[in-house]
């Protein structure tokens, strides 16, 4: 395979990943805004299913952590694989 073809493939993959990051960042901002607007940390009227699917099928580790207790409330399957614990075990841990 020619070096130019390899470079083009890498550039396409980088562009695809950058696009995914931008999409995820936009979703995070939207969720943060929704959480702030409720004042109670709940998203009113939002369907849970898309977020549950994203959480459970992401290839990156995702934790949902209580900022007051600094304990993980939820950990996705990718986090369990990456850190070698079950999701339940990860939820007994916290952030220092």
């Amino acid at each position: 395979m020619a070096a130019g073809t390899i470079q083009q493939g890498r550039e396409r993959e980088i562009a695809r990943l950058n696009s995914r990051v931008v999409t995820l960042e936009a979703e995070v901002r939207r969720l943060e805004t929704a959480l702030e607007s409720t004042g109670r940390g709940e998203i009113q009227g939002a369907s849970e299913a898309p977020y549950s699917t994203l959480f459970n099928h992401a290839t990156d580790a995702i934790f949902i952590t209580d900022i007051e207790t600094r304990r993980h409330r939820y950990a996705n399957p990718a986090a369990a694989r990456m850190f070698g614990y079950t999701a339940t075990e990860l939820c007994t841990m916290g952030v220092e």
Side-chain angles (χ1 to χ4, degrees):
M1 189 176 271
T5 304
I6 293 171
Q7 183 63 28
Q8 289 173 342
R10 288 179 180 160
E11 289 173 0
R12 279 193 302 274
E13 182 65 10
I14 288 169
R16 185 187 70 78
L17 291 172
N18 283 337
S19 174
R20 187 171 175 198
V21 167
V22 168
T23 301
L24 290 172
E25 287 174 341
E27 185 63 15
V28 166
R29 282 191 301 276
R30 190 187 74 70
L31 289 171
E32 287 173 340
T33 300
L35 287 168
E36 289 170 4
S37 69
T38 65
R40 294 189 317 270
E42 299 172 359
I43 302 173
Q44 296 177 337
S47 172
E48 184 179 309
Y51 305 106
S52 178
T53 299
L54 175 66
F55 182 81
N56 289 315
H57 293 91
T59 56
D60 296 319
I62 300 173
F63 293 91
I64 298 175
T65 306
D66 184 313
I67 60 172
E68 291 178 8
T69 65
R70 301 177 65 104
R71 293 297 219 193
H72 300 307
R73 297 200 56 209
Y74 304 98
N76 72 341
R81 283 190 304 277
M82 284 182 189
F83 294 101
Y85 295 96
T86 66
T88 302
E89 290 170 324
L90 288 170
C91 289
T92 65
M93 302 173 185
V95 179
E96 298 202 18

